[in-house]
Amino acid sequence: MPFVRIDLSKKYPDGFAQQVGDIIYGAMRQHFNVPEDDKFQIITKHDANELVIPKSYLGIEYSEDIIFIQATISEGRSTQMKKSLYQAICDGLVEKLKVRPQDILINLVEVNKENWSFGHGVMHYAPKDQ
C-alpha cells in the first residue's frame, strides 16, 4: 500500500522516470512485501529552478540530477527493512540508470492503516471491531 512520489529534473530523457518508478516498486516488492499490482506512483518532472537543494548536507554533495523519492507507507516495518529498502533503491538506480548515489534522496512517511481509502470512500483497512 505504498503511495510513492518521484520528483526529478525535466532534463532526464523520456521513459527515465518510469524506470525509476519500476526500480522503486521492485525494491518495495522485495523488501517491504508489497503485493503485486500495489503500485501507486506520481511522477513529476521539474524545471531546474523548482528543485531547491543545498550544495551539500551531512557531507553529501548534491547535483542538479537529484531525485526525490517520498513514499507514504503503513506503519510497522522495522528499521532493518527500511535500511534494506533504501539500499536496494540506491543500488538499482546506480546499477541500472547510472544515477549518482549522492543524488538519491528518500523519505518515508508512515501512517496508520486506517488512513487509506483506495476508492468508493471505503476505509479498506478499518479495524475489524469498528
Side-chain angles (χ1 to χ4, degrees):
M1 57 205 94
F3 178 67
V4 179
R5 293 182 177 275
I6 303 164
D7 291 271
L8 68 167
S9 172
K10 285 183 179 177
K11 74 179 224 168
Y12 284 110
D14 288 341
F16 181 89
Q18 287 72 20
Q19 289 177 295
V20 170
D22 290 344
I23 290 166
I24 294 166
Y25 176 64
M28 289 189 150
R29 295 258 303 134
Q30 182 177 3
H31 297 278
F32 272 16
N33 303 314
V34 169
E36 188 174 348
D37 296 330
D38 190 352
K39 185 179 181 185
F40 296 90
Q41 299 179 342
I42 295 177
I43 298 170
T44 308
K45 295 178 92 174
H46 299 271
D47 290 325
N49 66 338
E50 296 176 326
L51 297 174
V52 179
I53 57 170
K55 179 176 168 60
S56 69
Y57 183 69
L58 298 176
I60 301 167
E61 291 195 22
Y62 302 104
S63 78
E64 63 184 20
D65 296 334
I66 195 165
I67 298 173
F68 293 95
I69 300 162
Q70 184 176 60
T72 302
I73 61 170
S74 291
E75 63 186 1
R77 291 180 175 91
S78 70
T79 298
Q80 187 55 48
M81 289 175 78
K82 294 172 191 175
K83 286 180 178 182
S84 295
L85 177 73
Y86 297 151
Q87 194 63 59
I89 291 171
C90 184
D91 290 347
L93 293 175
V94 169
E95 292 168 14
K96 295 176 183 165
L97 300 177
K98 308 302 181 218
V99 175
R100 293 175 62 239
Q102 301 92 321
D103 287 330
I104 302 166
L105 191 148
I106 304 169
N107 170 245
L108 299 178
V109 178
E110 292 183 288
V111 299
N112 295 320
K113 282 191 166 204
E114 63 264 15
N115 290 326
W116 295 97
S117 174
F118 292 94
H120 299 285
V122 174
M123 183 186 294
H124 287 88
Y125 296 115
K128 300 282 187 226
D129 59 345
Q130 295 181 0

